[in-house]
Amino acid sequence: MGLSIDIIPNRTSPPAILLRRSWREGKRIRRETIANLSKMPPHLVSALRTLLKGGVVHNHLGDLVTIRRALPHGHALATLGMARRLGLDRILHRRKSRPGDLALAAIVARILHPASKLATARTLSADTATSSLGNMLGLGRVTGHDMLDMLDWLRSRQHWIEQSLANRHLNGGTLILHDVSPGYVEGRKCPLAAFGHNRDGRKGRMQVTYGLLCAPDGCPVAIEVFKGNTGDPPTLARQLDKVRQRFGIRGIAVVGDRGMITSARIRKDLEPRSLGWISALTTDGIRALLKPLEKGEKGEVLDPPTLVPDTVAELVHPSFPGERLLVCLNPRLRAERARRREDLLRATGETLAEIARKVHRPGSQLRGKVAIAKRIGREANRRKVEKHFDITIGDDHLSWSRKEEQIAREARLDGIHVVRTSLPSGDMSGEDAVEACKLTRLEIRPIHVRTEDHVRGHFFLVMLAWHVEWHMRRRLAPLLFEDDHPEGARAKRDSPVSPAAVSDEALAKSRKKVTPDGLPVHSMTTLLADLATLTLNEMVVPSHQDHAFVTTPEPTALQARALELLDIGIDRSVAM
């Protein structure tokens, strides 16, 4: 005899759900209906059917399975997967080794959450892990000493690793971008003072100088750390030798900000060494482009209303002979600066009105030009826009008005950025030169190591992390507030779509904050945070505590798209 639940069709009416008993009489099967379950809730019918089949029903899911531990997983999976796609694990060391695994983990951890080496060791160690990274690499217990030993190991292999990257991204005729930038080490009693760092005027901070070598598209391939008091000419000379001897590169360009590559430095240091350079104009330099040309001068005048947003316009001006000037207009920055200026002007006007009320009030103690001017300097100029007001001060009165023409002249420069370069268009396009200024800056802090070799190892690790992140950003561009095209500005230049149409597409993504697929647009930081919600769950059945299994939830549409762009699959049932 057996019990079963049968569903009986009932023509146009809902089917009948019956609890039946069946038994055999000779060669015939007899059935008897015990109860009609048609009005019973479906989940109770399903539970009853499970019981009849020999299953077990629990009141709570926790009685059936327990999540022993959940680790953020998606961001580590994406970043580690990208590093392996690039072959970085084999570049670090051809044979699998613990120092190589620790170095790979530290590079990935630097992208996920920059921290000291001790803090990174804790995030990787099995007992104190804050992500699945250590689990995926099988690191087990990791200590701070392991991380310092890893830095020594990584530093010893820097020459071969950089050579491998150069072989992939450089060739004999490729132009190299070189950036010399300042960094800082915290700590008043830091032994790095013997390493030659200069105080920068702030208590407990010491300067470090580093040079970053990149391919023309901005991909970092090598880095060198110098003493903080090393002048720029020796720095450049050493880097030039490194490039020419090790990588066989002939054409070299120096990339730096407008404070580093000045006209004086171009004349004294760069031109004598036949070095190209890429920098940016100061605000005064941009204003010079707006002035009409004198009679007999050949060149072009910058006309902001004619600029196309998010594209690069090239012009030549007599104030900068022999240079290419690449003009960019960022409409979002333009709108933001206009809004902020108006807020500051309005707030300053309200402050002036309040001071005027005090001055004009009968019996007020605020009298005299000197006293009123001091009050204005103390209160009205806090927002640094007093220069845009025409203020008249008397012994017992105060009046003011906005300098509308001056404000309009300043507003013309909003959102305009001008890159200057000596490189001919045949060596580097305008779009690539602009991208070069954006892509050669490392976020080196925090620096919590103290010895010279460890500092050098730290900088090299940061460079490798940026190498991985640079490739990730290019692949994830459709989901980021960046160019939609994986090839960046080069794709925009070669695209059959007009620059205005490409600009409209970029503007629409920025304005609506969603992609054409309806997914939210992210920064790199927030996208990694979203991926981190895809967790790696260690689960056990209460009756079998010694047998755990690991699984991951189904990714969201955004997470699935990000992993698809990175060409990384996800196994929802991962072995321990």
Side-chain angles (χ1 to χ4, degrees):
M1 183 181 71
L3 296 176
S4 63
I5 296 177
D6 299 330
I7 300 177
I8 310 299
N10 199 8
R11 294 187 180 182
T12 59
S13 300
I17 302 176
L18 306 176
L19 175 62
R20 286 180 164 184
R21 178 173 66 90
S22 60
W23 71 93
R24 177 182 293 276
E25 288 185 357
K27 294 183 179 181
R28 300 183 62 181
I29 301 296
R30 300 288 186 179
R31 290 184 177 85
E32 176 186 11
T33 299
I34 299 176
N36 189 335
L37 308 179
S38 301
K39 295 184 178 181
M40 183 177 289
H43 68 280
L44 294 180
V45 175
S46 178
L48 184 57
R49 181 180 282 113
T50 300
L51 290 172
L52 294 177
K53 291 181 178 180
V56 179
V57 177
H58 297 277
N59 292 328
H60 303 285
L61 181 62
D63 298 333
L64 178 62
V65 64
T66 301
I67 300 178
R68 180 181 291 173
R69 192 178 189 186
L71 292 173
H73 176 59
H75 61 333
L77 174 69
T79 310
L80 179 61
M82 186 74 256
R84 285 173 167 168
R85 287 281 179 192
L86 297 173
L88 187 59
D89 50 345
R90 289 185 57 81
I91 291 177
L92 292 174
H93 202 263
R94 289 192 175 184
R95 297 180 180 178
K96 183 176 176 60
S97 63
R98 181 168 176 79
D101 289 341
L102 284 173
L104 183 61
I107 292 168
V108 174
R110 181 75 193 182
I111 299 173
L112 302 183
H113 181 67
S116 68
K117 299 303 176 283
L118 177 59
T120 301
R122 288 175 178 170
T123 64
L124 297 175
S125 192
D127 295 337
T128 55
T130 58
S131 74
S132 62
L133 180 57
N135 182 54
M136 287 190 289
L137 290 171
L139 297 180
R141 183 173 179 271
V142 182
T143 66
H145 290 293
D146 291 337
M147 300 303 293
L148 294 179
D149 291 342
M150 177 274 299
L151 279 183
D152 293 332
W153 179 88
L154 189 64
R155 177 84 176 94
S156 68
R157 295 192 54 79
Q158 180 173 354
H159 178 89
W160 291 275
I161 295 172
E162 289 179 342
Q163 190 64 55
S164 297
L165 295 177
N167 292 340
R168 292 187 176 195
H169 297 280
L170 307 180
N171 57 66
T174 300
L175 190 70
I176 301 300
L177 308 181
H178 174 286
D179 183 28
V180 180
S181 307
Y184 300 97
V185 177
E186 306 286 348
R188 292 185 61 185
K189 298 181 179 180
C190 175
L192 285 171
F195 186 26
H197 298 76
N198 288 335
R199 299 279 181 178
D200 70 338
R202 300 186 187 182
K203 190 175 182 179
R205 293 164 66 87
M206 302 177 189
Q207 187 177 21
V208 186
T209 302
Y210 67 92
L212 181 66
L213 299 180
C214 298
D217 56 5
C219 181
V221 296
I223 192 170
E224 184 72 17
V225 181
F226 306 95
K227 294 183 178 181
N229 59 356
T230 300
D232 287 333
T235 297
L236 290 177
R238 183 169 177 179
Q239 281 291 58
L240 289 178
D241 292 340
K242 179 176 182 179
V243 172
R244 289 169 176 160
Q245 295 176 12
R246 291 183 54 196
F247 305 136
I249 301 300
R250 296 184 301 274
I252 301 175
V254 180
V255 182
D257 57 34
R258 53 196 175 191
M260 187 188 80
I261 301 184
T262 61
S263 297
R265 185 174 173 221
I266 292 172
R267 184 175 59 257
K268 294 179 180 179
D269 299 334
L270 303 183
E271 290 181 349
R273 293 176 172 81
S274 300
L275 291 175
W277 48 267
I278 303 174
S279 185
L281 283 186
T282 62
T283 302
D284 290 339
I286 298 177
R287 287 197 182 101
L289 303 181
L290 299 173
K291 297 179 181 179
L293 298 179
E294 296 183 2
K295 187 176 181 180
E297 288 184 335
K298 296 182 179 180
E300 302 166 271
V301 177
L302 177 61
D303 187 10
T306 64
L307 296 177
V308 179
D310 293 321
T311 59
V312 178
E314 188 167 335
L315 59 86
V316 177
H317 196 274
S319 298
F320 303 93
E323 299 181 18
R324 296 165 60 204
L325 303 176
L326 311 169
V327 186
C328 313
L329 173 61
N330 185 331
R332 297 164 294 282
L333 181 59
R334 187 180 187 87
E336 173 61 22
R337 287 187 174 176
R339 181 198 64 78
R340 185 174 182 182
R341 181 187 299 106
E342 181 58 33
D343 289 344
L344 294 175
L345 290 172
R346 183 172 57 254
T348 301
E350 293 173 354
T351 301
L352 288 172
E354 179 63 26
I355 296 174
R357 281 193 293 270
K358 295 178 180 179
V359 171
H360 298 154
R361 187 173 57 203
S364 174
Q365 296 182 357
L366 185 57
R367 289 287 187 270
K369 294 182 179 180
V370 175
I372 296 173
K374 286 183 178 180
R375 180 67 63 88
I376 292 174
R378 184 174 66 248
E379 297 183 7
N381 199 32
R382 287 183 302 172
R383 299 171 183 87
K384 307 303 180 184
V385 292
E386 184 188 359
K387 61 184 179 181
H388 293 315
F389 288 87
D390 189 3
I391 302 175
T392 302
I393 304 174
D395 289 334
D396 56 358
H397 72 274
L398 171 65
S399 62
W400 72 93
S401 62
R402 288 190 183 187
K403 299 178 181 179
E404 298 295 348
E405 293 185 3
Q406 178 176 308
I407 294 172
R409 286 197 301 269
E410 183 175 287
R412 294 184 68 191
L413 303 181
D414 288 347
I416 295 178
H417 182 71
V418 180
V419 173
R420 59 188 297 207
T421 179
S422 64
L423 301 176
S425 57
D427 287 346
M428 178 166 286
S429 69
E431 290 82 357
D432 285 341
V434 173
E435 287 297 312
C437 289
K438 301 177 183 177
L439 296 174
T440 55
R441 183 69 61 185
L442 289 182
E443 184 57 50
I444 60 172
R445 289 180 284 178
I447 306 175
H448 294 285
V449 290
R450 294 293 179 263
T451 68
E452 176 177 340
D453 286 340
H454 287 161
V455 169
R456 294 183 185 277
H458 169 82
F459 274 72
F460 183 47
L461 186 145
V462 172
M463 188 278 291
L464 293 175
W466 176 238
H467 180 88
V468 176
E469 184 175 341
W470 184 87
H471 284 278
M472 290 183 69
R473 286 177 178 273
R474 287 167 68 89
R475 292 203 179 196
L476 294 172
L479 298 177
L480 303 176
F481 287 104
E482 297 181 7
D483 197 318
D484 284 351
H485 304 281
E487 294 302 320
R490 186 179 296 104
K492 184 180 293 185
R493 182 180 67 250
D494 298 336
S495 173
V497 184
S498 67
V502 176
S503 173
D504 290 341
E505 178 184 341
L507 284 173
K509 186 172 74 168
S510 175
R511 187 166 48 244
K512 297 179 180 179
K513 305 295 189 295
V514 294
T515 67
D517 299 332
L519 298 174
V521 183
H522 280 272
S523 67
M524 189 66 178
T525 301
T526 58
L527 181 57
L528 289 176
D530 188 287
L531 286 170
T533 63
L534 183 68
T535 57
L536 187 70
N537 306 307
E538 181 183 348
M539 311 179 75
V540 294
V541 177
S543 58
H544 298 82
Q545 293 286 341
D546 296 334
H547 300 283
F549 61 97
V550 178
T551 185
T552 59
E554 183 176 352
T556 64
L558 175 67
Q559 293 166 348
R561 177 60 176 154
L563 294 175
E564 178 187 357
L565 291 172
L566 295 174
D567 194 21
I568 295 172
I570 180 171
D571 186 356
R572 295 187 58 199
S573 179
V574 185
M576 287 293 289

